[in-house]
Short mmCIF file of all heavy atoms in Angstrom, two decimals:
data_model
loop_
_atom_site.label_atom_id
_atom_site.label_comp_id
_atom_site.label_asym_id
_atom_site.label_seq_id
_atom_site.Cartn_x
_atom_site.Cartn_y
_atom_site.Cartn_z
N ASN A 234 -5.54 24.76 21.36
CA ASN A 234 -5.31 25.45 22.63
C ASN A 234 -4.48 24.63 23.60
O ASN A 234 -4.45 24.92 24.80
CB ASN A 234 -6.66 25.78 23.27
CG ASN A 234 -7.51 26.68 22.38
OD1 ASN A 234 -7.03 27.70 21.89
ND2 ASN A 234 -8.77 26.30 22.18
N VAL A 268 -22.76 -1.15 -9.08
CA VAL A 268 -23.74 -0.11 -8.78
C VAL A 268 -23.26 0.76 -7.61
O VAL A 268 -22.94 0.25 -6.54
CB VAL A 268 -25.12 -0.72 -8.42
CG1 VAL A 268 -26.10 0.39 -8.05
CG2 VAL A 268 -25.65 -1.54 -9.58
N ALA A 288 -1.19 11.62 4.05
CA ALA A 288 0.19 11.31 4.40
C ALA A 288 1.16 12.35 3.85
O ALA A 288 2.12 12.75 4.53
CB ALA A 288 0.56 9.93 3.88
N LYS A 377 -2.82 13.09 -5.72
CA LYS A 377 -3.13 12.13 -6.79
C LYS A 377 -4.61 12.19 -7.18
O LYS A 377 -5.49 11.99 -6.34
CB LYS A 377 -2.78 10.73 -6.29
CG LYS A 377 -2.82 9.64 -7.35
CD LYS A 377 -2.25 8.36 -6.76
CE LYS A 377 -0.76 8.53 -6.46
NZ LYS A 377 -0.15 7.31 -5.92
N ARG A 389 -7.52 -3.97 -5.79
CA ARG A 389 -8.36 -3.89 -4.59
C ARG A 389 -9.86 -3.87 -4.92
O ARG A 389 -10.69 -3.94 -4.03
CB ARG A 389 -8.00 -2.64 -3.79
CG ARG A 389 -6.54 -2.62 -3.34
CD ARG A 389 -6.17 -1.32 -2.66
NE ARG A 389 -6.87 -1.17 -1.38
CZ ARG A 389 -6.75 -0.08 -0.61
NH1 ARG A 389 -6.00 0.94 -1.01
NH2 ARG A 389 -7.39 0.01 0.54
#
Side-chain angles (χ1 to χ4, degrees):
N234 300 311
V268 178
K377 190 171 293 181
R389 301 175 67 183

